[in-house]
Amino acid sequence: MRQKLKSITCLRCQFPVLLCLVLTAVLLWIPTGFEDAVIYKGTERCSAVVLETDESRVISTGLIKSGEQTCKVRFEGGMFDGQEAEGFNMLTGSLQTDKLFQPGDRALVVITHKDGEIISVNMIDHYRLHKEWILAGCFVLFLFLFAGWSGIRAILSFVVTVLTIWKILVPCYLKGMNPVLLGLAIVLGLTILIITLVYGFDRRAFSAVSGSFLGILTTCVLGIVFTNAFQIHGAIMDNSESLLYSGYEYLNLTQIFMASIFIGASGAVMDLAVDITSAVYEVVQKKPDISRREAIGSGMAVGRAAMGTMTTTLLLAYSGGSIALLMVFMAQGTPLDNILNYKYIASEILDTLVGSFGLVTVAPFTALTSGIVLARRKK
């Protein structure tokens, strides 16, 4: 009997891992439907070594450079491997997007060709893929050395989340599906998958998933209400207007912005729900005769302790990307009333406060579900 229970427990723990592996294989295989872009037909992408540069047509105006840099490059890989050609690097006067190459740099280039002959070479950017793979490999290795098989589970959840966003969420948004409903469905699916990777399919997973989704649902409702109340348009998101001008004028950018609020907060919500569930489970294991009311109280105590740091985590995460903007406001002496009333600042405040509100609500939700599910009812 004991051996049978052990086998069932092992199966509950291993099934989420097998499910993640299957999902990873499926997501890698399925196409997004946007692979055959017209602008990239008849082109070849590869890395190239910059041999020489010519800045004679670059116009410098202080920090700003515009014009065109010409580079002599040698291709690495692809159908033109080893060949040399002249590449063009267009400068638009934007420090954010422009780049200048030096001899010896490696660049990612797009080669336009016809009938095996090179028509033009466009210098996209510095080649960073190999360094990104090195960084990712170091991260995976460190996670495995530090956390063992739990680290492998974390990597699996990371990979599945990235693939789900890229292969399902983004293509479905581009096809005009309802952003809020689709976002909720995907977040719920990822929540179930990620938390079961931690616990397996048991009562702890049910408790943490229930508390997480109630918190995410609260964040969703508040995001919808206050986005309308603040009169925030979804075009406030970076690069969103480019979508409209690229033939996707039917997209509802405001609903996409609403969905981004609870999607962005869902990771922190899951983290807090797992912390509270684990704490309540440990209390119940140490004191099996504890009442549900006492277990809920223990979960609330853990939630109160964690809420202070978790809400600050969201604040730092959102404000960290706006340091340059805050410096501009201070350098220009912009009044605080003006700053807080700007649409793009109001959207960040909305993002931070609504996400933090979701964290505040997930604590009592998870404490309640943990106490009811994990503790036994006293006769």
Side-chain angles (χ1 to χ4, degrees):
M1 185 66 180
R2 184 177 297 175
Q3 186 67 28
K4 186 177 180 181
L5 288 174
K6 187 176 180 181
S7 300
I8 293 173
T9 303
C10 183
L11 181 62
R12 285 177 178 175
C13 293
Q14 297 305 323
F15 181 74
V17 176
L18 296 175
L19 182 60
C20 268
L21 292 173
V22 172
L23 279 175
T24 301
V26 171
L27 290 171
L28 285 171
W29 175 74
I30 63 173
T32 62
F34 295 89
E35 287 85 2
D36 298 326
V38 175
I39 59 173
Y40 290 111
K41 287 185 176 180
T43 62
E44 174 87 4
R45 289 186 303 276
C46 68
S47 63
V49 177
V50 179
L51 303 176
E52 300 174 7
T53 62
D54 179 9
E55 286 82 26
S56 59
R57 285 179 285 184
V58 175
I59 303 170
S60 297
T61 310
L63 294 174
I64 304 302
K65 297 182 185 297
S66 58
E68 182 182 74
Q69 181 191 36
T70 306
C71 303
K72 184 179 180 182
V73 298
R74 183 176 63 245
F75 304 122
E76 297 180 324
M79 60 187 297
F80 301 103
D81 185 24
Q83 296 187 32
E84 296 181 3
E86 191 176 57
F88 299 94
N89 174 29
M90 300 301 298
L91 303 173
T92 61
S94 170
L95 291 175
Q96 182 181 12
T97 57
D98 285 347
K99 64 278 175 190
L100 279 174
F101 297 97
Q102 301 294 332
D105 288 348
R106 292 183 70 195
L108 177 67
V109 299
V110 172
I111 309 165
T112 304
H113 58 88
K114 186 176 182 180
D115 299 328
E117 293 186 5
I118 298 174
I119 298 175
S120 65
V121 179
N122 184 19
M123 312 286 290
I124 300 299
D125 213 322
H126 289 87
Y127 190 80
R128 303 182 179 93
L129 295 181
H130 61 300
K131 296 175 182 177
E132 291 172 355
W133 281 114
I134 291 172
L135 180 61
C138 291
F139 170 70
V140 170
L141 179 62
F142 177 78
L143 196 58
F144 177 71
L145 292 176
F146 179 75
W149 290 110
S150 296
I152 298 298
R153 291 169 182 264
I155 294 166
L156 276 175
S157 68
F158 183 87
V159 171
V160 170
T161 301
V162 170
L163 289 175
T164 302
I165 291 172
W166 182 248
K167 290 295 189 80
I168 299 178
L169 184 72
V170 174
C172 289
Y173 275 5
L174 286 172
K175 291 173 183 176
M177 295 184 67
N178 188 293
V180 175
L181 296 180
L182 179 65
L184 281 173
I186 286 181
V187 167
L188 176 59
L190 288 175
T191 301
I192 294 172
L193 190 62
I194 293 168
I195 291 179
T196 52
L197 275 172
V198 176
Y199 291 132
F201 287 101
D202 64 5
R203 292 181 300 163
R204 290 174 296 173
F206 177 78
S207 170
V209 168
S210 301
S212 296
F213 196 66
L214 287 171
I216 292 169
L217 195 59
T218 303
T219 307
C220 173
V221 172
L222 289 174
I224 292 172
V225 170
F226 283 98
T227 298
N228 291 325
F230 282 18
Q231 296 179 316
I232 301 294
H233 191 278
I236 199 69
M237 298 181 292
D238 291 338
N239 303 312
S240 57
E241 285 187 69
S242 300
L243 279 172
L244 301 181
Y245 303 143
S246 300
Y248 295 93
E249 65 279 352
Y250 54 84
L251 294 180
N252 191 325
L253 296 180
T254 303
Q255 286 193 358
I256 295 174
F257 173 76
M258 293 173 181
S260 71
I261 296 174
F262 64 80
I263 291 174
S266 60
V269 167
M270 276 188 276
D271 184 28
L272 184 56
V274 168
D275 288 344
I276 294 173
T277 301
S278 297
V280 173
Y281 179 75
E282 288 299 316
V283 170
V284 172
Q285 290 295 103
K286 294 295 186 295
K287 189 181 178 184
D289 61 339
I290 189 173
S291 68
R292 287 180 172 175
R293 181 179 296 233
E294 291 172 319
I296 292 170
S298 299
M300 292 292 291
V302 174
R304 281 192 292 268
M307 269 189 281
T309 56
M310 292 302 293
T311 52
T312 309
T313 300
L314 280 184
L315 173 63
L316 293 174
Y318 290 130
S319 62
S322 306
I323 291 296
L325 180 61
L326 297 176
M327 291 172 67
V328 169
F329 285 144
M330 183 164 288
Q332 294 177 345
T334 308
L336 187 59
D337 290 351
N338 290 22
I339 295 174
L340 296 178
N341 206 57
Y342 287 142
K343 183 166 61 174
Y344 44 91
I345 296 297
S347 68
E348 292 295 330
I349 293 172
L350 174 64
D351 227 344
T352 303
L353 293 182
V354 170
S356 299
F357 203 103
L359 281 175
V360 171
T361 56
V362 78
F365 283 146
T366 309
L368 186 64
T369 56
S370 299
I372 293 174
V373 173
L374 299 179
R376 297 176 182 176
R377 183 194 302 177
K378 283 195 172 183
K379 295 183 179 179

